[in-house]
Amino acid sequence: MTAWRWLAAHLQAYAELTRLHRPIGSLLLLWPTWWALWLASNGLPDPKILAVFTAGVLTMRSAGCAINDYLDRDVDRHVERTRNRPLARGAIRPAEALVICVLLLIASLALVLTLNRRTQELAVIGALLAVTYPLGKRLTHLPQIYLGLAFGWGIPMAYAAVQDKVPPIAWLLLIANVFWTVAYDTFYAMADRADDIKVGVKSTAILFGEDDRLIIGVLQASALATLALVGWNARLGPWFYGGLGLAALTALHHQYLARHREPAACFRAFVANNWFGAAVFAGIAAHYGMQP
């Protein structure tokens, strides 16, 4: 193998490690962060803060993927959907994954240092949530709740960056995000349920069993109800609730996709949650955009 081909193969493996070829995780992390930025700034987020948070979503998500694959490298090779990940197939060494993770965390640190002190303090908690999440599936059947906190921690950070405080509405929005995250990540876990049971990995999909779709429906409804309460507290108008209505329709579509619990269909339901997040954001943005 020539040096160029070796370099190209490694760059491709690094891109796979950090999921650059699969942006759905970044989008699911980005939407609640943008919800919070728009709400905290009354629809006019500072361009610098918006750029920092958007870039931070990308670096932290990639760092989380790298440490996840490092910790799961012996499990992934036994799961059909993940056995071709670069660490599982031996395309890169575990030490390389750790180096990539550290470099991405340093990049995230550089970004957060441009924000105020309160945001920096919250960022420490966010980083700990991101890098320790993969351990949750070994300790509890509820790692999705941990993921909801990790994926939603940009919400209190966004309020802190804009307002230099974290008001109650930020925590309410975080609760809504936890409900939503547990719902969509249970779809994700349903796709791997058979393999996870074999290798001893825990998840809400295993815990919920035959009640999985029912409980997901309750979680989706809880997310929508909590978001409606956020809208009421923020005095948002019909455009926002129209966005919530569209989000509710996407939730029904997710249930339809997973109706037979086929792994591929459950994964499609997970990916389709991008439209739930987009619909909520569209409602928020439309409310402020239509203000006189």
Side-chain angles (χ1 to χ4, degrees), residues 9-11 13-14 17 86-97 100:
H10 267 63
L11 289 177
Y14 294 153
L17 175 74
L87 275 174
R89 70 174 190 264
I92 59 177
R93 294 173 296 173
E96 293 177 83
I100 292 294

Side-chain angles (χ1 to χ4, degrees), residues 131-174:
V131 300
T132 57
Y133 157 70
L135 297 174
K137 68 187 76 172
R138 291 168 171 78
L139 304 174
T140 174
H141 280 96
L142 298 170
Q144 281 72 23
I145 294 178
Y146 202 104
L147 181 67
L149 291 171
F151 265 39
W153 201 251
I155 293 170
M157 287 180 60
Y159 272 90
V162 173
Q163 300 182 3
D164 199 24
K165 63 181 180 180
V166 185
I169 194 173
W171 301 114
L172 191 61
L173 190 60
L174 177 59

